[in-house]
Amino acid sequence: MNGIEERYISLLTDFGFKRIFGTAPNKDLLINFLNSLFDGRKVIKSLKYSNSEHVGDIYTERKAIFDVYCESEDGEKFIVEMQNASQKFFKDRSVYYSTFPIREQAPKGDTWDYKLNPVYTVALLNYDMKDEKAFDMNEISHHVQLCDTVTKRVFYDKLEFIYVEVSKFNKTDSELVTLYDKWLYALKNLSTLTERPAALRDKIFDRLFQVAEIAKFTPVELKEYEDSLKTYRDLKNSLDTAEEKGRDEEKKATIRRLLASGASIGIISIATDLSEADVRLLIDEISKE
């Protein structure tokens, strides 16, 4: 029996993301999303899906398994990934992933002029990258290319990394104007919706809501989604718990410094934005450590 209360799947789960963006019958959804992301700079008319599992050279046999891997009618390669948890070397990983569609373009034989088709790696991130040195933290989308460090001009326009911090998107349904806004809203909020917002009544979103309705799943699809949803929720709970502990440790460190300087409970309460009762609880925990 279906124990899921939501009407629509979460696109943040592995099952939901791949069902919407990673299957041939729904490729029109992926095309529409990518076109909204490029915002006229590139127009994709058709896509074909490729094998998402790639193996490294014979020495390492290191694998790369993409969430979605496809190619446009012009031979452009697109890797699309959903990442729910921060990874220390995620930028390294995305660069490493880009090498597979680059290398696979080398034909067998001796003759080749090294001409490459463009490769785009799109990473949808359900967390804050917190990369102030590289990015404008007020922006959600970050487009990265090789450029000259003096002129800041693009040196090579056939390799691009696009990082989208979905978690930072906070517009309400009444604030959605662009197609890209609408897609980010759907990515973040689809599973929480019971009815379709007026802003998501475009034809393409007719398709999205049709294929995302849980009631239409087969028993096998429902079981796969339930398993994927459980994995996502367990991960989110673990991350939330770790983040909460991190905040507590940070506040404890602040309280220690303030106590050492002779600050009163009232001053500490103001400085930490905690109630005096909560300050006393943390002081009690500190004393037991």
Side-chain angles (χ1 to χ4, degrees):
M1 184 177 178
N2 180 10
I4 300 174
E5 297 179 359
E6 293 84 4
R7 182 175 179 181
Y8 302 106
I9 57 174
S10 169
L11 300 185
L12 301 175
T13 63
D14 184 66
F15 177 92
F17 185 78
K18 290 177 180 176
R19 179 182 178 87
I20 298 303
F21 293 121
T23 56
N26 298 329
K27 67 180 179 180
D28 56 326
L29 298 175
L30 177 61
I31 291 171
N32 190 272
F33 168 70
L34 289 176
N35 282 334
S36 77
L37 175 62
F38 287 108
D39 191 26
R41 188 164 56 90
K42 174 176 299 300
V43 178
I44 302 164
K45 296 179 180 178
S46 67
L47 288 174
K48 64 177 181 179
Y49 288 90
S50 302
N51 182 12
S52 60
E53 182 172 337
H54 297 256
V55 182
D57 58 50
I58 60 173
Y59 301 104
T60 64
E61 294 187 348
R62 179 69 63 184
K63 288 186 178 182
I65 302 177
F66 312 142
D67 287 340
V68 177
Y69 180 45
C70 52
E71 181 179 327
S72 74
E73 70 277 10
D74 298 325
E76 299 164 315
K77 313 284 187 177
F78 297 87
I79 298 169
V80 187
E81 288 277 303
M82 169 59 74
Q83 183 79 6
N84 277 305
S86 177
Q87 188 178 65
K88 184 177 181 181
F89 296 110
F90 181 71
K91 285 192 287 186
D92 299 68
R93 173 183 157 186
S94 58
V95 171
Y96 173 69
Y97 272 18
S98 72
T99 65
F100 288 87
I102 291 173
R103 287 184 297 169
E104 74 177 15
Q105 295 184 51
K108 293 181 180 179
D110 298 328
T111 304
W112 182 38
D113 61 5
Y114 289 93
K115 181 180 180 181
L116 293 169
N117 291 321
V119 173
Y120 300 89
T121 299
V122 179
L124 305 175
L125 310 174
N126 192 24
Y127 61 89
D128 187 341
M129 289 187 78
K130 298 178 181 178
D131 197 338
E132 296 179 3
K133 292 182 179 179
F135 302 135
D136 181 346
M137 290 293 91
N138 294 317
E139 297 294 329
I140 292 174
S141 302
H142 312 287
H143 295 250
V144 179
Q145 291 178 299
L146 295 175
C147 71
D148 181 271
T149 58
V150 176
T151 66
K152 308 301 180 185
R153 296 171 188 153
V154 175
F155 162 73
Y156 188 73
D157 62 359
K158 292 184 180 181
L159 181 63
E160 185 169 343
F161 302 90
I162 305 173
Y163 301 97
V164 182
E165 297 177 271
V166 178
S167 62
K168 289 168 65 173
F169 184 81
N170 56 15
K171 289 186 179 181
T172 64
D173 58 348
S174 63
E175 297 173 313
L176 305 179
V177 177
T178 67
L179 182 60
Y180 186 50
D181 282 348
K182 295 174 184 180
W183 269 115
L184 290 185
Y185 182 86
L187 275 166
K188 188 173 181 180
N189 299 298
L190 184 62
S191 66
T192 67
L193 301 177
T194 54
E195 300 295 336
R196 290 176 59 180
L200 298 186
R201 296 192 182 276
D202 304 19
K203 185 177 180 180
I204 193 64
F205 292 106
D206 289 343
R207 289 273 298 116
L208 172 64
F209 281 89
Q210 178 185 5
V211 298
E213 192 167 358
I214 296 172
K216 296 180 180 178
F217 286 7
T218 67
V220 172
E221 290 172 334
L222 182 60
K223 178 63 168 60
E224 290 177 349
Y225 177 57
E226 287 175 335
D227 291 344
S228 184
L229 184 61
K230 181 180 184 303
T231 299
Y232 168 73
R233 286 174 172 169
D234 287 347
L235 173 62
K236 189 175 185 304
N237 287 336
S238 297
L239 293 173
D240 288 346
T241 299
E243 186 175 347
E244 185 67 32
K245 288 181 178 178
R247 284 196 296 265
D248 283 349
E249 289 305 314
E250 184 178 339
K251 287 181 177 178
K252 283 181 182 179
T254 301
I255 290 173
R256 288 189 186 96
R257 290 194 297 271
L258 291 171
L259 286 173
S261 69
S264 67
I265 296 293
I267 294 298
I268 295 174
S269 173
I270 294 171
T272 58
D273 198 27
L274 294 170
S275 68
E276 292 190 7
D278 286 339
V279 170
R280 289 190 177 90
L281 284 174
L282 288 176
I283 290 175
D284 185 52
E285 290 181 15
I286 290 171
S287 66
K288 294 177 181 178
E289 291 176 352

